[in-house]
Amino acid sequence: MKIAVFASGRGSNLQAIIDASARGDIPTKIDLVISDNRDARALKRADKARVDNIFVNPEAFSSNGKYEEKLIEILKEYEIDLIALAGYMRILSSSFIKEYRNQIINIHPSLLPAFKGLNAQKRALEYGVKYSGCTVHFVNKGVDAGPIIEQAVVRVNDNDSVEDLSQRILKEEHRIYPEVIKGLVGGKYIIRDRKVIRN
Ligand code: GRF
């Protein structure tokens, strides 16, 4: 299975996947990293790990459709089978998602369906939940709404800052994202309606 990671920023999840693959925990490597941000630390991490990486500038295209056509062209060239979004800050169009149906996954820093969208950790804290966590899910056309593959739960402490909670959640993200990719490579999951079932 050929894997691409899409990342816009820090790239710590990308790093966790690269490290898991280097340790042999995932029986395959990352073939490609794509970013929409020239300065993304994720690109530097990919460089360091000798993973092909490409900055595709959305501003260089006349429309989002044309930008995504370029992404698809690159993905086809690399014969990518699985796209893992890891802090990718753009919403993929439904035609892109159709092209890679059930082949795109995302990690989100909350226990979905709670706190979809941006600043999930801050909103969880403000809401006063006692537990939060992270979710890996297939991407469908709703934002953070696709079938859930795996989740991890994190306790929210009374005195947590957004940073404290985010860090605690991130630790779990780095654990479950590579695990899910391992499972997908091994054909461990099947999608039945909204449910993802372990094979
Ligand atoms: C993570 O919190 C992830 O859940 C969210 O964006 C953040 C990306 O962090 N989708 P990083 O770039 O992987 O460090």
Side-chain angles (χ1 to χ4, degrees):
M1 186 183 275
K2 292 198 146 202
I3 304 174
V5 175
F6 283 17
S8 301
R10 181 177 56 182
S12 71
N13 277 288
L14 166 68
Q15 190 68 56
I17 298 164
I18 289 173
D19 293 346
S21 152
R23 281 195 307 269
D25 289 354
I26 304 175
T28 182
K29 60 179 181 54
I30 307 303
D31 296 281
L32 176 66
V33 172
I34 290 184
S35 184
D36 59 339
N37 171 12
R38 192 194 311 271
D39 302 319
R41 202 170 147 207
L43 291 174
K44 296 194 182 70
R45 292 183 193 264
D47 260 343
K48 201 164 170 222
R50 297 175 190 276
V51 175
D52 284 6
N53 60 91
I54 305 175
F55 159 58
V56 186
N57 185 359
E59 283 163 26
F61 298 86
S62 56
S63 66
N64 187 53
K66 295 262 183 261
Y67 165 70
E68 288 188 348
E69 272 172 29
K70 181 68 187 174
L71 296 184
I72 290 170
E73 187 188 309
I74 298 168
L75 293 167
K76 298 272 181 230
E77 209 173 288
Y78 276 80
E79 300 177 333
I80 295 298
D81 310 292
L82 177 71
I83 300 166
L85 308 181
Y88 185 65
M89 298 310 285
R90 300 176 69 87
I91 293 171
L92 296 166
S93 73
S94 47
S95 63
F96 185 98
I97 292 166
K98 223 186 248 166
E99 184 77 33
Y100 283 92
R101 198 177 131 76
N102 296 339
Q103 292 174 283
I104 312 172
I105 58 174
N106 181 42
I107 187 150
H108 183 76
S110 77
L111 291 175
L112 291 172
F115 309 113
K116 293 174 177 169
L118 293 175
N119 304 317
Q121 304 96 325
K122 179 167 184 276
R123 287 185 292 122
L125 264 187
E126 285 169 359
Y127 197 91
V129 295
K130 299 299 182 196
Y131 291 92
S132 189
C134 50
T135 304
V136 180
H137 62 92
F138 284 107
V139 172
N140 66 9
K141 58 180 192 279
V143 174
D144 300 323
I148 291 171
I149 308 171
E150 187 56 277
Q151 295 185 301
V153 176
V154 158
R155 173 80 192 180
V156 180
N157 297 328
D158 290 345
N159 299 322
D160 272 348
S161 63
V162 176
E163 187 52 30
D164 293 335
L165 180 60
S166 301
Q167 277 306 322
R168 208 173 310 118
I169 292 174
L170 198 60
K171 211 171 150 211
E172 291 301 302
E173 294 185 34
H174 296 165
R175 185 177 64 77
I176 67 169
Y177 214 4
E179 251 178 45
V180 166
I181 291 173
K182 180 182 176 187
L184 286 166
V185 172
K188 278 217 180 89
Y189 302 104
I190 41 175
I191 307 179
R192 212 174 277 156
D193 301 324
R194 256 216 70 85
K195 285 190 193 159
V196 179
I197 296 164
R198 276 190 86 97
N199 225 343

